[in-house]
């Protein structure tokens, strides 16, 4: 099943909630690490596209994490 933008956003925000206790940049790197290890490339592409489109509703830590995904 293809991940929708809504599901990608929800899952990314969930990860940010779980790792948000870490200091800012450390949290962003941890989120990026989790997404890089466990997410399908198509899901990562959708996340990148959503951030490029403005990332409305996405946790700022996730937006910061996307910079580390490359």
């Amino acid at each position: 099943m293809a991940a929708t933008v809504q599901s990608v956003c929800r899952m990314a925000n969930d990860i940010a909630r779980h790792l948000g206790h870490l200091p800012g940049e450390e949290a962003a790197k941890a989120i990026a690490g989790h997404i890089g290890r466990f997410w399908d490339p198509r899901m990562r592409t959708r996340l990148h596209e959503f951030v490029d489109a403005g990332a409305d509703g996405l946790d700022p830590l996730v937006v910061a994490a996307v910079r580390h995904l490359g």
Side-chain angles (χ1 to χ4, degrees):
M1 178 166 98
T4 65
V5 171
Q6 290 172 328
S7 64
V8 166
C9 183
R10 179 184 44 78
M11 288 185 283
N13 283 339
D14 286 347
I15 295 166
R17 270 192 293 284
H18 288 288
L19 297 173
H21 67 281
L22 299 170
E25 193 61 22
E26 188 178 341
K29 288 179 181 179
I31 293 164
H34 178 89
I35 290 170
R37 281 188 305 277
F38 299 109
W39 282 29
D40 181 276
R42 293 168 293 183
M43 293 170 64
R44 291 192 304 266
T45 297
R46 266 190 211 254
L47 181 61
H48 276 283
E49 291 170 352
F50 188 62
V51 168
D52 290 344
D56 187 40
L58 203 57
D59 188 297
L61 285 174
V62 175
V63 176
V66 169
R67 291 192 311 258
H68 295 287
L69 287 173

